Amino acid sequence: MSKINHIAIIMDGNGRWAESRCRPRIWGHVRGAAQISDVVEAADHFGIKALTLFAFSTENWCRPKEEVSSLFTLLRKYIERERQKIIRNKIRFRVIGDIFGLPEKTRDLILDLEEKTRLSTGLKLNFAFDYGGRSEIINSVNKFIHQSPGQLISESDLYENLYLVDSGDVDLLIRTGGDCRISNFLLWQMAYAELYFTKTKWPEFSTEEFRKIYYEVSLRQRRFGGIDTPLDLVSNLVEAKAHKASMQHKVE
Ligand code: IPE
Ligand code: IPE
Ligand code: MG
């Protein structure tokens, strides 16, 4: 069994789910938002360390105004509704992305819940909102240049300046809705993620399906460039570096 510490989900298919029922797309988002709580609870029961949910991308700004503002409202309502439960279950809540484009009230709610759960030791729940993987990487590089002018950036420097410093690499990415792409989500963290695409649209994604995917992917053999099952990506990279150094030493 390979260890899954961090699951990322692209919650896609709300609009098509509603349209196929002759309903407005926004209704699909409302039904989709209602699914989140059960999925978070299931992830908490799996005992994983982090769950990152893609709720609004930097590219989603090009949707009609009413749809964008309904997504903002749903984020606010989710936080208002789940706030106590998140605190009670010791979930560490974070929003990654540019929250400064959000209405002040929502921003304040986010900052308050982030602060209240800062020291929570349970599941790390990250909402990616107005998030783009490329912006995250550019941001990280710029932060590094600012702190260490004239220096060359390393992989660990880049990682340490990302929005998500303590959730680690993504082990499993699930995308609902039937499309097989990653749409600018967690580009750096997903370098060695197992990918799982399901045709189920997000409003119909059940905890049973989530559990099935989790167990199925836990059985996959992850090699991280090696030839047998290593413990994790980090230990494999350490081994790879040591091996490279010893080979170079022999050549010299
Ligand atoms: C995902 O559902 C939610 C967001 C992108 C905000 P979509 O709205 O993309 O639904 P489809 O893909 O059009 O069905
Ligand atoms: C990705 O879904 C973003 C979210 C789920 C928030 P999209 O529906 O925006 O992705 P594309 O544009 O079809 O790739
Ligand atoms: Mg979509």
Side-chain angles (χ1 to χ4, degrees):
M1 292 256 296
S2 43
K3 182 100 183 84
I4 295 179
N5 287 319
H6 184 180
I7 300 180
I9 306 183
I10 302 179
M11 306 182 291
D12 194 27
N14 294 346
R16 280 165 290 158
W17 183 81
E19 278 161 1
S20 69
R21 283 159 180 77
C22 305
R23 297 288 201 109
R25 293 178 54 84
I26 291 174
W27 186 68
H29 295 312
V30 173
R31 295 295 292 265
Q35 292 299 100
I36 297 175
S37 182
D38 286 351
V39 168
V40 171
E41 207 167 298
D44 203 10
H45 286 152
F46 297 161
I48 61 165
K49 291 192 179 134
L51 175 70
T52 305
L53 302 173
F54 205 3
F56 189 85
S57 73
T58 45
E59 290 74 24
N60 289 145
W61 281 105
C62 59
R63 295 190 178 201
K65 255 195 177 142
E66 310 75 62
E67 185 167 342
V68 169
S69 79
S70 77
L71 289 163
F72 285 8
T73 307
L74 285 168
L75 174 68
R76 176 173 55 74
K77 289 191 170 163
Y78 172 83
I79 300 174
E80 285 170 345
R81 194 172 62 239
E82 299 294 317
R83 196 173 166 280
Q84 285 310 329
K85 195 162 146 196
I86 288 175
I87 296 172
R88 199 172 53 244
N89 291 342
K90 300 190 169 45
I91 289 174
R92 208 283 314 269
F93 179 83
R94 283 278 305 276
V95 174
I96 55 167
D98 182 12
I99 63 163
F100 293 94
L102 288 168
E104 205 178 325
K105 191 171 173 206
T106 314
R107 208 167 58 215
D108 289 347
L109 273 170
I110 292 172
L111 293 173
D112 177 66
L113 190 54
E114 285 186 342
E115 179 52 32
K116 290 226 161 48
T117 62
R118 196 166 53 87
L119 301 174
S120 298
T121 50
L123 176 75
K124 293 175 175 44
L125 173 62
N126 310 302
F127 263 78
F129 207 94
D130 199 359
Y131 170 89
R134 286 182 174 172
S135 327
E136 183 180 27
I137 293 172
I138 293 290
N139 241 315
S140 161
V141 173
N142 284 335
K143 268 205 266 174
F144 176 80
I145 293 173
H146 187 73
Q147 288 154 13
S148 318
Q151 301 224 9
L152 290 178
I153 188 165
S154 68
E155 288 193 9
S156 58
D157 294 327
L158 197 144
Y159 178 74
E160 278 157 25
N161 285 295
L162 293 173
Y163 301 134
L164 272 185
V165 242
D166 55 5
S167 292
D169 280 319
V170 172
D171 297 300
L172 164 61
L173 166 81
I174 300 171
R175 181 179 185 133
T176 60
D179 289 318
C180 301
R181 54 177 174 263
I182 56 175
S183 304
N184 199 17
F185 191 33
L186 301 173
L187 298 179
W188 183 269
Q189 298 88 336
M190 249 190 243
Y192 250 108
E194 293 295 320
L195 309 179
Y196 195 105
F197 300 102
T198 169
K199 288 198 168 72
T200 308
K201 309 279 190 298
W202 177 253
E204 286 191 328
F205 186 70
S206 64
T207 50
E208 287 72 39
E209 183 171 4
F210 189 25
R211 201 164 296 122
K212 251 177 64 194
I213 296 171
Y214 174 71
Y215 284 112
E216 189 185 314
V217 175
S218 313
L219 297 175
R220 286 188 192 170
Q221 199 196 13
R222 303 180 73 193
R223 288 182 290 276
F224 299 107
I227 51 175
D228 52 11
T229 315
L231 288 175
D232 58 40
L233 177 55
V234 178
S235 65
N236 229 45
L237 286 175
V238 170
E239 217 170 281
K241 273 188 191 147
H243 192 192
K244 187 175 171 186
S246 78
M247 295 287 274
Q248 276 168 345
H249 188 66
K250 270 185 203 149
V251 172
E252 284 159 16

